[in-house]
């Protein structure tokens, strides 16, 4: 038997290989299947998330400065902690380095890690370096703390809950497209000068994203606890499917409610790319997608940069995107095998 | 400036890149520099360790069955938790997979992970899969629990403490040498039949090691708390240097006290390799090296498979190995830049 991994999709594979593990310890509160795991026996819970970032898959060093990469790796880790309504406090970093890397380059990477630790109040508490046959491997473990009764999971969305997103979507993906265009255009040219003027915003979203510390802090301040939450790393489509699958519900979102920055529209037009597809499937936004009871509608206006994009429906209606002319499109996403 | 990483050594590099990070959170009890990190505010502490295992560096799939690899990856993770006197309870597993891997192969890997979880009472609480450009990347995060006042660090060794090791050393390394010999001998041969009869013990030590659950359990039962401890993964020389560096002390160990299995002697003779070098520098033993006050000497006999191999000295005497004819050799180790 030789089944290709693509036949199952990423999420099908994870289900298949982790499905028959049983939980044996009281201190395991939440295992596989959310943004992060939750452990601990008392009221104070520990939230842990790990990420693996591989050269050539998750980043391209041709256009990614190492300092930015270090910063972004930390953001990728702690974004999962915020998505559980937790506060990140510690990170661990392992790196695998091929022979091409110098000490100074590793220091650049760690400069970015250190700046992120400063901006987000994190302690670096561990991490090894090892040799690698091929390129750079980065592994980030992010650790957060939360009260037992305020942790937010993917599985709590209720019928008629409002679906909200922070910030805007698709910018990081369009930034990546721009970087890829310049890479191809400048191949083989000595002293290449890529054309990046006017693209600061989308490049920053791709190369130096931020985690949603401010929104979560504001929610905690005014006592808004979402019924479900996930961070937008795979794209709105895929991440909304996670919420719906785990909450056993459907959803309806409205295309013209999806927040997309004007800079994203501009570059999408230039590159002849549909900005809505970038928002739905692009990923790496590090924004938050969450649900709230409709009774909390008035409080959403107190949250910075937060938009209502739809509502939770019955499971039987599926996950639908309504276009401005009233058409319904069933949402599908990469990484999910269609049933 | 372009400094090669080899100029600093692995441990020099880690010191250089992590040296100027400061600790900001009360919940950080122990950061960089031990087998694992320790976090938490109350009496119950969480111990966390992460490992990165890269194909071609840490394992060779030509002679490593995937099920064994999964098992060994878990052992590598939880060994660090035992080395802190903790009890491992949870693991997280991330894998990066190149296109050559099938679903069935990933299932084999996870079979080994599952058996290890069963044997050691662990919950699998998270983990992603992702694509990889090259081969297999495994990242294990191990999480343990311990009482605040019983965690054992590397930095607690005191003058005149006895230095103890569990089990025997060098077997895993000689197992690796045997596997490498057969790999080379059988290159280019169709249907190769490697000669492994009679080598079960050393192959098991290399391919399916165990962590020291039993010894730690016994210590906890009878109330023996080491003054310092580390797990033997880089070889006795390197790991003893860690204890001495962090405890700011020297050490004297006796060559003829180093426990080496008869199977290790046999294969070492066959391969014309010094078994003492295998014990000192081989690594991957997953045994424990620890120190105890001399007043506890009589209690050591209650611990399974534990030998006294020397004692802690003043820092100024350095770390010395005394040969049977009374000569002192200063201990040096790979990964350490000599000062």
């Amino acid at each position: 038997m030789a089944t290709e991994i693509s036949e199952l999709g990423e999420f099908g594979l994870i289900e298949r290989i982790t499905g028959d593990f049983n939980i044996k310890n009281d201190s395991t509160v939440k295992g596989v299947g959310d943004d992060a795991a939750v452990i601990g026996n008392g009221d104070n819970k520990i939230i842990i998330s790990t990420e693996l970032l591989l050269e050539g898959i998750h980043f391209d060093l041709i256009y990614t400065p190492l300092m930015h990469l270090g910063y972004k790796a930390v953001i990728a880790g702690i974004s999962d902690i915020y998505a559980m309504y937790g506060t990140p406090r510690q990170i661990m970093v392992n790196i695998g380095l091929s022979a091409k890397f110098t000490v100074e380059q590793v220091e650049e990477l760690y400069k970015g890690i250190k700046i992120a630790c400063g901006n987000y109040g994190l302690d670096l508490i561990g991490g090894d370096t090892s040799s690698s046959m091929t390129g750079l491997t980065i592994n980030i473990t992010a650790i957060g703390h939360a009260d037992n009764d305020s942790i937010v999971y993917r599985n709590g969305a209720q019928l008629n809950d409002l679906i909200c997103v922070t910030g805007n979507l698709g910018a990081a993906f369009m930034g990546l497209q721009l970087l890829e265009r310049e890479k191809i255009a400048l191949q083989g040219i000595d002293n290449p000068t890529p054309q990046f003027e006017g693209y600061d915003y989308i490049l920053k979203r791709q190369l130096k994203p931020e985690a949603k510390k401010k929104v979560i802090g504001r929610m905690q301040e005014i006592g808004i606890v979402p019924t479900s939450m996930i961070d937008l790393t795979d794209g709105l489509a895929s991440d909304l499917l996670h919420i719906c699958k785990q909450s056993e519900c459907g959803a309806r979102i409205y295309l013209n409610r999806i927040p997309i920055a004007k800079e994203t529209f501009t570059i999408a037009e230039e590159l002849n790319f549909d900005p809505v597809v970038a928002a739905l499937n692009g990923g790496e936004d590090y924004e938050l997608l969450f649900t709230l009871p409709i009774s909390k509608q008035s409080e959403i206006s107190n949250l910075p940069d937060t938009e209502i994009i739809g509502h939770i429906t019955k499971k039987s209606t599926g996950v639908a995107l309504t276009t401005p002319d009233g058409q319904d499109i069933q949402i599908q996403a990469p990484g999910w095998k269609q049933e």
Side-chain angles (χ1 to χ4, degrees), chain A:
Chain A
M1 276 279 283
T3 312
E4 281 191 39
I5 287 165
S6 58
E7 284 179 47
L8 295 181
E10 181 191 342
F11 304 120
L13 177 65
I14 292 174
E15 269 191 22
R16 173 113 154 225
I17 56 184
T18 63
D20 66 342
F21 280 72
N22 60 327
I23 296 294
K24 311 166 194 80
N25 293 290
D26 293 342
S27 56
T28 301
V29 180
K30 180 78 189 182
V32 174
D34 218 297
D35 289 280
V38 181
I39 60 164
N41 282 313
D43 274 347
N44 297 311
K45 292 289 185 280
I46 304 284
I47 304 173
I48 307 184
S49 169
T50 62
E51 303 272 332
L52 205 49
L53 303 171
L54 306 174
E55 185 175 346
I57 301 290
H58 300 98
F59 56 87
D60 187 334
L61 289 180
I62 287 180
Y63 49 69
T64 310
L66 283 161
M67 192 162 70
H68 288 68
L69 181 59
Y71 193 92
K72 183 173 174 174
V74 175
I75 299 302
I78 63 174
S79 180
D80 284 324
I81 306 298
Y82 287 118
M84 306 291 286
Y85 206 75
T87 305
R89 295 270 188 238
Q90 287 93 7
I91 59 163
M92 302 175 87
V93 180
N94 286 321
I95 52 174
L97 294 163
S98 63
K100 73 179 174 186
F101 290 95
T102 65
V103 171
E104 287 75 16
Q105 288 177 308
V106 181
E107 286 181 315
E108 276 297 297
L109 184 76
Y110 269 77
K111 250 186 227 169
I113 292 171
K114 194 179 174 192
I115 295 169
C117 284
N119 290 353
Y120 290 90
L122 309 169
D123 294 335
L124 177 75
I125 60 165
D128 281 333
T129 66
S130 97
S131 304
S132 150
M133 293 297 279
T134 49
L136 178 61
T137 302
I138 305 175
N139 162 227
I140 296 268
T141 303
I143 300 153
H145 299 249
D147 291 340
N148 204 12
D149 50 6
S150 69
I151 297 174
V152 177
Y153 298 95
R154 292 179 180 176
N155 65 4
Q158 302 294 323
L159 188 62
N160 297 323
D161 276 0
L162 299 172
I163 300 171
C164 306
V165 295
T166 62
N168 63 73
L169 310 183
F173 180 79
M174 290 317 302
L176 182 63
Q177 300 313 302
L178 176 68
L179 290 164
E180 285 286 339
R181 179 185 74 173
E182 292 301 299
K183 176 184 163 183
I184 291 163
L186 297 173
Q187 245 160 14
I189 294 175
D190 286 341
N191 302 314
T193 47
Q195 297 302 310
F196 287 150
E197 287 106 78
Y199 298 119
D200 297 12
Y201 178 74
I202 60 158
L203 288 175
K204 198 177 166 211
R205 288 298 301 268
Q206 169 56 224
L207 294 174
K208 189 172 173 285
E210 300 291 346
K212 305 309 283 185
K213 180 183 180 183
K214 203 171 143 191
V215 174
I216 294 295
R218 184 82 182 129
M219 281 186 189
Q220 290 171 344
E221 214 174 271
I222 61 179
I224 292 186
V225 183
T227 50
S228 71
M229 186 152 55
I230 188 170
D231 68 332
L232 287 164
T233 52
D234 292 334
L236 177 59
S238 181
D239 293 323
L240 181 57
L241 285 171
H242 278 298
I243 293 261
C244 290
K245 182 162 192 200
Q246 298 214 15
S247 297
E248 297 186 16
C249 63
R252 176 180 307 279
I253 58 173
Y254 297 90
L255 196 149
N256 58 4
R257 291 291 197 100
I258 297 173
I260 297 174
K262 66 177 190 307
E263 293 89 342
T264 305
F265 277 111
T266 306
I267 181 75
E269 193 172 26
E270 191 181 324
L271 298 182
N272 200 20
F273 200 95
D274 184 345
V276 174
V277 172
L280 285 171
N281 296 334
E284 295 198 284
D285 295 310
Y286 299 109
E287 299 292 347
L288 295 171
L289 173 69
F290 60 93
T291 55
L292 273 180
I294 198 159
S295 61
K296 304 275 181 186
Q297 183 169 2
S298 64
E299 296 176 41
I300 295 170
S301 58
N302 293 318
L303 297 177
D305 267 352
T306 302
E307 301 286 341
I308 300 168
I309 62 165
H311 56 85
I312 295 295
T313 59
K314 277 185 291 190
K315 192 179 176 184
S316 56
T317 44
V319 182
L321 175 72
T322 304
T323 62
D325 58 4
Q327 275 196 306
D328 269 5
I329 301 166
Q330 283 296 307
I331 286 185
Q332 301 184 334
W336 294 84
K337 186 176 172 266
Q338 304 308 326
E339 283 152 31

